[in-house]
């Protein structure tokens, strides 16, 4: 079942409109941006037989975005140390943060993907945003991409002060809570997806041998952190953990 299907001309118009209205730029090579919005579930082959989807651009965009956010934070916080800057960058480029950002700017509606009962869709918007960053970098170069993302995205759609104050280490929080309440806690890797350019780890958190929440990310630590956050917040909602 296709969840997204537009006539070629309509698709290009939609992407061009998005780039102009949201990012304030015009594409030089529209093909880059179209490719950035093709999930692997909608892969096709070009005239030379090469598979076309956004995974390579996602790989490139992941690196470029991390550099841009690091550069932005380095200039914004001239007196903060490495630990603070590293944690702030991790918060901004986390999978949950990028997924939310992609939805805020309306990128999710432009992504081409097919629905399958065996697929997980949670990370598709964030991955597409990384791929879009890769497309921008190839189309505009680093300086222009930095200017676009800082002026049109980071300073408009991300409240850096809120990010700064946001609790992050939910894994430590849930471990501390378990220790205080004499409960056993364990993390388990349930599955490793090696079908893409980067491994994805599917992790579950267990408390007193009972499975709580699951999460998937590109590192075991990040997946554990996300699973811990979901568990901790659910416990707060259920009154198991008192909200601060």
């Amino acid at each position: 079942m296709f969840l997204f299907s537009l006539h070629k001309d309509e698709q290009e118009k939609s992407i061009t409109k998005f780039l102009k209205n949201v990012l304030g730029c015009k594409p030089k090579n529209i093909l880059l941006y179209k490719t950035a919005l093709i999930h692997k579930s909608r892969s096709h082959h070009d005239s030379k037989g090469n598979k076309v989807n956004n995974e390579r651009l996602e790989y490139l965009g992941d690196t470029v975005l991390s550099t841009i956010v690091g550069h932005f934070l380095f200039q914004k916080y001239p007196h903060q140390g490495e630990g603070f800057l590293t944690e702030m960058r991790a918060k901004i480029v986390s999978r949950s943060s990028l997924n939310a950002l992609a939805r805020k700017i309306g990128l999710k509606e432009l992504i081409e993907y097919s629905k399958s009962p065996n697929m997980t869709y949670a990370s598709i918007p964030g991955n597409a945003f990384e791929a879009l960053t890769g497309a921008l970098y190839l189309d505009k170069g680093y300086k222009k991409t930095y200017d676009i993302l800082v002026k049109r995205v980071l300073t408009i759609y991300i409240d850096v002060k809120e990010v700064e104050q946001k609790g992050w280490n939910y894994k430590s929080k849930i471990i501390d809570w378990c220790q205080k309440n004499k409960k056993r806690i364990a993390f388990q890797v349930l599955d490793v997806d090696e079908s893409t350019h980067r491994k994805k780890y599917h992790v579950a958190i267990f408390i007193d041998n009972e499975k709580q929440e699951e999460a998937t990310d590109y590192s075991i630590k990040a997946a554990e952190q996300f699973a811990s956050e979901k568990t901790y917040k659910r416990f707060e909602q259920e009154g198991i953990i008192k909200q601060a």
Side-chain angles (χ1 to χ4, degrees):
M1 175 182 177
F2 292 136
L3 293 190
F4 181 90
S5 180
L6 282 177
H7 185 275
K8 181 179 177 181
D9 292 339
E10 293 177 343
Q11 183 190 21
E12 290 187 4
K13 287 179 181 178
S14 296
I15 294 173
T16 301
K17 183 178 179 181
F18 168 84
L19 292 171
K20 179 182 178 182
N21 293 345
V22 179
L23 301 184
C25 67
K26 293 182 179 179
K28 294 179 182 177
N29 184 354
I30 189 65
L31 182 60
L32 284 171
Y33 301 96
K34 290 174 67 176
T35 303
L37 296 171
I38 301 174
H39 183 256
K40 66 178 181 179
S41 63
R42 287 291 301 273
S43 298
H44 61 270
H45 293 83
D46 62 19
S47 58
K48 296 181 180 179
N50 299 311
K51 185 179 286 188
V52 178
N53 59 45
N54 67 2
E55 288 188 336
R56 282 173 53 83
L57 285 171
E58 179 193 336
Y59 161 78
L60 177 62
D62 172 57
T63 302
V64 174
L65 182 61
S66 182
T67 301
I68 287 174
V69 172
H71 185 179
F72 167 71
L73 293 171
F74 183 84
Q75 293 187 319
K76 184 172 182 61
Y77 298 98
H79 305 297
Q80 291 286 1
E82 178 188 2
F84 172 88
L85 297 174
T86 299
E87 183 170 323
M88 283 288 290
R89 180 176 62 185
K91 291 178 184 179
I92 293 173
V93 302
S94 70
R95 196 59 30 193
S96 58
S97 177
L98 292 184
N99 286 338
L101 177 60
R103 292 185 179 95
K104 282 182 183 178
I105 65 177
L107 185 66
K108 186 174 182 287
E109 288 70 25
L110 296 175
I111 304 169
E112 291 188 60
Y113 64 99
S114 298
K115 190 172 183 178
S116 166
N118 299 319
M119 280 185 56
T120 301
Y121 297 95
S123 62
I124 288 179
N127 292 348
F129 183 81
E130 288 181 333
L132 178 67
T133 300
L136 278 168
Y137 173 71
L138 292 177
D139 196 40
K140 306 290 184 182
Y142 177 80
K143 187 180 184 304
K144 186 65 175 177
T145 302
Y146 175 87
D147 289 341
I148 290 171
L149 292 186
V150 169
K151 294 177 182 178
R152 306 287 299 215
V153 178
L154 293 179
T155 57
I156 294 177
Y157 294 97
I158 294 179
D159 187 335
V160 181
K161 283 295 182 182
E162 182 179 312
V163 173
E164 184 179 342
Q165 295 169 4
K166 180 183 177 182
W168 174 247
N169 201 343
Y170 282 94
K171 183 179 177 181
S172 292
K173 286 184 176 183
I174 199 70
I175 289 174
D176 288 345
W177 180 83
C178 286
Q179 289 175 343
K180 289 177 182 178
N181 291 275
K182 298 181 180 180
K183 294 182 178 292
R184 296 186 304 275
I185 183 170
F187 296 89
Q188 181 180 337
V189 177
L190 302 179
D191 182 54
V192 181
D193 181 0
E194 300 186 60
S195 63
T196 62
H197 60 279
R198 288 184 292 173
K199 291 181 180 179
K200 290 182 180 179
Y201 299 90
H202 189 61
V203 171
I205 179 174
F206 291 81
I207 295 178
D208 283 345
N209 296 320
E210 183 178 341
K211 185 164 69 173
Q212 300 299 324
E213 299 290 343
E214 301 176 19
T216 302
D217 213 302
Y218 292 110
S219 74
I220 295 175
K221 287 185 178 180
E224 289 177 347
Q225 186 70 249
F226 193 17
S228 297
E229 179 180 356
K230 292 200 290 185
T231 301
Y232 194 92
K233 288 182 176 180
R234 177 167 62 80
F235 279 11
E236 283 188 325
Q237 291 176 349
E238 296 174 354
I240 298 172
I241 294 177
K242 292 183 179 180
Q243 295 189 22

